[in-house]
Amino acid sequence: MLQAPENRNCYEYLKFSTGIYNDFFMMQHFGVNYKRSEMFAHIDALAAYFQKDLGLKRGDVYTIFMPTTVQSILAFYALNKIGVITSFVHPLMATEFLKEQLELVHSKGVMILDLLAKDHIGTINDSGLPCLVCNSSDYSEGIKGFGCKIGEGLIKKIFPKYNRAVYFKDALKTTSTAEPVENNGDDVCAYLNGGGTTGKSKTIKLTNRAVNELTWRVSDLDEIHDPGNECEVIVLPMFHCFGLCIAIHMAMCNSARIIPMMQFDAKIFTKLMRKNNVIGFGGIPLMFEKLMKDKHFDGPHLKSIRLMFCGGDDISEAFIEKYNSYFEKWGATGRLRQGYGLTEIGSVCCTNTNTDFRRGSIGKAIRGVEVEIWDDDHKKLPNGEIGEFAISGPTIMQGYYMEGEAEDYGLYTDENGKKWVLSGDLGYMDDDGYFYFSGRKKRLIIISGYNVYPTDMERVVGDLPFIRECCAVQGWENERSIVRLYATLKEKGDEEAYKQTIRETLEGAFSKFYVPRDIIFMDSLPETPLMKVDFMKLTAADPEKARVERKIKD
């Protein structure tokens, strides 16, 4: 089990936690394993490059505009070693968004993958910032490495030229030594973009302490018994809070051999499970759905799985039970469990576990984190009453990044001086301490003064055998609020009969207010860049246009 992080930064905690073992395999890429000593040598070399060659110092900001790769993981720890804040930006965002983020946080440089750089080189050149360019061949060997180098040669000929660029492998050649910043647990280590508790995108400040405390507390759920042999496949991106804090930092501090995937692919994932001793992974609902559809998913390789978490969106109990049946079949101890969290609290505050879970719930609060249900006057509600999730503890954010505002901007401070994150999410707690998610406050639909919770609707409809996925939103008809349901089907059938079943099921489960006025079947539901259902697009969608588009496709 991990020890308490005390006042260490993320780099120090990783080095401290893994230092008790021999020189185990820490990371794998394209089937090649890299030892702990080699990875730390590369981290230290990068730290020297950032500090000595670029002149970065404690409190500066540097942007990683990358998918999850060996290079981006090492760069985070290198920057952390010298006290530099990493600003993570989704590498598929528009170049205008990159420009805004670079300017907003006063970034001193940017790291990018050559394959994804074409549309952004002009923006980077205009910014005047130094650019660290990563190639796929940096950690590729043999035939794969040779193929990557051929592609990189073509990229250099076709893509625009950089004004100030250094390539990753050249940065590793520095002969300098970085001077570390130590025992700076309260320093901000990362800027992450989140939806914000009010629905508008915000830049969230996470400290070393918040990331390390979360890692330590969640590590109670499992420990690595065979460092370097037991693996965790990283499918969640670093720019996603759960990906950074749990999938990567916790797994690495626990001394697992991590296998980062630049982009999720069910076929590749199942191949990795068959070839490696994979004991755990976390993902979002769509990833688990794609995994279960892969023809090679089922098999004895599932026996080693001990830990699986699903977050980011709701998932039906029917799916969870079907998914878990595969692991039960092969005698695995792991089961897919739902939890709850958001970027503002370091990613997770409560979860079901393999030994303590309740159907339909999002579990209990993790050790040392307070989760309460509040009314609009910030007063704690009795068990069973729906209100807003409020979270306090050592894992919460320092605040939102906002120039001219207080350091803790975005947090609520109670009469005792305790700071809380007001989540903007609704739910309740039962008498046994299990929490239940009812939906976003901004998604709340009010019909004739009655509260309708879309997530509750989706959970019930999602259990119907003919429904693949669904999303309930607020619509308007003759200037009156209505419930509108969008859904996709597992196979074609009598759509009118399906609609009738949906209406009868919802009225039986809840009340007439939950019965949608409009049910629209689509080929697929729109997704956000993080592969969640984009309910905002559906809220603004024209149902007649959706019907027409589907008819055209048919």
Side-chain angles (χ1 to χ4, degrees):
M1 288 292 183
L2 293 180
Q3 296 184 36
E6 299 178 351
N7 198 37
R8 297 180 176 92
N9 58 40
C10 294
Y11 168 85
E12 289 177 302
Y13 195 42
L14 175 65
K15 196 164 189 177
F16 168 77
S17 300
T18 58
I20 61 175
Y21 300 110
N22 293 327
D23 195 16
F24 63 92
F25 288 121
M26 179 176 266
M27 207 173 300
Q28 177 180 316
H29 182 65
F30 281 162
V32 180
N33 294 317
Y34 297 92
K35 289 189 173 182
R36 177 184 181 274
S37 57
E38 186 175 3
M39 293 293 89
F40 268 103
H42 289 189
I43 290 171
D44 293 342
L46 281 174
Y49 161 75
F50 287 131
Q51 187 181 71
K52 302 300 183 179
D53 293 16
L54 294 189
L56 300 183
K57 61 185 184 300
R58 182 177 183 177
D60 284 344
V61 181
Y62 189 91
T63 298
I64 293 183
F65 189 53
M66 292 270 297
T68 303
T69 64
V70 176
Q71 301 99 314
S72 58
I73 294 171
L74 298 184
F76 166 70
Y77 287 110
L79 293 164
N80 189 260
K81 177 181 179 178
I82 59 175
V84 174
I85 301 166
T86 300
S87 175
F88 290 98
V89 180
H90 192 314
L92 297 183
M93 296 300 285
T95 193
E96 186 60 34
F97 184 84
L98 172 63
K99 179 182 177 181
E100 290 174 2
Q101 285 298 119
L102 292 174
E103 294 174 351
L104 174 68
V105 301
H106 306 290
S107 184
K108 296 296 182 67
V110 60
M111 181 179 187
I112 196 167
L113 182 68
D114 61 345
L115 290 172
L116 304 177
K118 183 179 179 181
D119 294 336
H120 309 290
I121 295 174
T123 295
I124 294 170
N125 286 343
D126 290 344
S127 73
L129 296 174
C131 182
L132 183 61
V133 183
C134 301
N135 294 324
S136 298
S137 66
D138 291 339
Y139 288 96
S140 300
E141 299 180 9
I143 295 176
K144 289 183 179 178
F146 179 72
C148 288
K149 288 179 180 179
I150 291 175
E152 289 155 11
L154 294 174
I155 285 174
K156 287 182 179 180
K157 291 180 179 179
I158 298 172
F159 284 14
K161 306 299 181 185
Y162 296 94
N163 289 344
R164 298 180 63 190
V166 170
Y167 284 85
F168 183 87
K169 279 206 166 180
D170 293 329
L172 293 180
K173 296 175 182 177
T174 182
T175 57
S176 303
T177 302
E179 299 167 13
V181 175
E182 299 173 329
N183 297 313
N184 57 322
D186 291 322
D187 281 8
V188 173
C189 68
Y191 290 155
L192 292 161
N193 293 300
T197 58
T198 60
K200 186 178 180 181
S201 178
K202 292 182 173 68
T203 298
I204 295 155
K205 302 181 294 183
L206 290 183
T207 63
N208 288 293
R209 186 179 305 281
V211 175
N212 286 337
E213 287 281 347
L214 182 70
T215 291
W216 175 47
R217 294 168 194 279
V218 177
S219 70
D220 291 350
L221 304 180
D222 189 66
E223 62 179 320
I224 296 299
H225 306 298
D226 189 1
N229 179 38
E230 294 181 334
C231 306
E232 296 198 26
V233 182
I234 312 302
V235 297
L236 289 172
M238 285 191 80
F239 50 82
H240 187 288
C241 192
F242 195 92
L244 173 66
C245 299
I246 302 299
I248 295 173
H249 191 53
M250 188 185 83
M252 293 187 71
C253 287
N254 256 337
S255 301
R257 170 163 48 100
I258 68 165
I259 308 175
M261 290 184 70
M262 191 168 70
Q263 184 176 11
F264 176 76
D265 182 289
K267 184 177 180 180
I268 295 174
F269 188 99
T270 54
K271 185 177 181 180
L272 288 172
M273 283 203 295
R274 295 196 304 275
K275 290 189 172 184
N276 298 276
N277 183 22
V278 177
I279 60 95
F281 57 95
I284 61 174
L286 188 60
M287 292 177 179
F288 291 102
E289 290 169 11
K290 289 182 176 179
L291 269 180
M292 199 165 67
K293 292 177 186 176
D294 187 85
K295 63 182 181 180
H296 298 298
F297 171 68
D298 189 16
H301 53 273
L302 299 180
K303 185 177 181 179
S304 62
I305 298 296
R306 299 199 301 264
L307 199 65
M308 291 179 290
F309 289 110
C310 180
D313 214 341
D314 199 44
I315 191 168
S316 73
E317 288 296 326
F319 176 85
I320 291 175
E321 289 172 3
K322 182 178 180 182
Y323 185 89
N324 284 339
S325 67
Y326 289 92
F327 296 88
E328 184 176 358
K329 167 185 173 182
W330 292 104
T333 58
R335 298 291 185 270
L336 180 60
R337 304 297 183 197
Q338 284 207 91
Y340 166 78
L342 58 159
T343 306
E344 286 84 350
I345 59 170
S347 76
V348 61
C349 62
C350 52
T351 185
N352 284 290
T353 71
N354 291 333
T355 57
D356 191 1
F357 62 92
R358 180 159 293 176
R359 194 178 193 274
S361 81
I362 51 175
K364 294 180 178 180
I366 64 173
R367 175 173 56 89
V369 174
E370 294 182 70
V371 181
E372 296 183 354
I373 304 296
W374 287 5
D375 63 17
D376 290 340
D377 295 321
H378 304 148
K379 302 299 181 184
K380 187 177 179 180
L381 287 169
N383 293 345
E385 290 193 24
I386 292 177
E388 182 176 7
F389 283 93
I391 303 99
S392 184
T395 69
I396 69 172
M397 67 176 180
Q398 186 189 74
Y400 292 122
Y401 180 91
M402 188 68 67
E403 288 188 328
E405 296 288 350
E407 185 179 81
D408 61 355
Y409 175 69
L411 296 175
Y412 172 76
T413 305
D414 66 17
E415 60 273 16
N416 298 314
K418 183 182 292 185
K419 297 183 188 300
W420 297 79
V421 168
L422 303 181
S423 67
D425 291 328
L426 299 172
Y428 64 94
M429 185 180 77
D430 67 17
D431 292 336
D432 296 321
Y434 293 93
F435 288 92
Y436 298 79
F437 181 73
S438 298
R440 294 284 295 166
K441 284 182 77 172
K442 65 183 179 182
R443 287 194 69 192
L444 177 66
I445 303 171
I446 301 177
I447 304 295
S448 300
Y450 188 93
N451 290 349
V452 173
Y453 300 98
T455 302
D456 290 346
M457 287 182 62
E458 293 159 3
R459 189 177 296 117
V460 169
V461 175
D463 281 343
L464 294 174
F466 53 86
I467 293 294
R468 184 177 303 283
E469 59 181 346
C470 60
C471 182
V473 299
Q474 182 177 35
W476 296 91
E477 190 174 274
N478 299 324
E479 299 183 355
R480 295 186 64 181
S481 176
I482 64 168
V483 178
R484 180 171 288 139
L485 181 75
Y486 291 88
T488 61
L489 299 172
K490 291 181 179 177
E491 56 185 28
K492 290 186 177 181
D494 187 338
E495 294 190 1
E496 290 307 313
Y498 290 159
K499 290 179 181 180
Q500 184 62 26
T501 300
I502 290 171
R503 292 188 172 102
E504 291 174 355
T505 300
L506 287 170
E507 186 165 7
F510 303 108
S511 71
K512 64 179 182 179
F513 298 103
Y514 275 78
V515 177
R517 180 71 60 86
D518 210 354
I519 299 175
I520 301 149
F521 294 122
M522 303 175 70
D523 291 324
S524 62
L525 300 183
E527 296 176 359
T528 68
L530 292 179
M531 298 173 70
K532 301 178 185 180
V533 174
D534 193 339
F535 73 88
M536 291 298 291
K537 282 187 177 179
L538 292 175
T539 302
D542 180 346
E544 287 303 320
K545 182 179 180 182
R547 287 194 187 94
V548 170
E549 287 177 348
R550 184 164 184 266
K551 286 179 180 179
I552 290 173
K553 290 180 181 178
D554 290 344

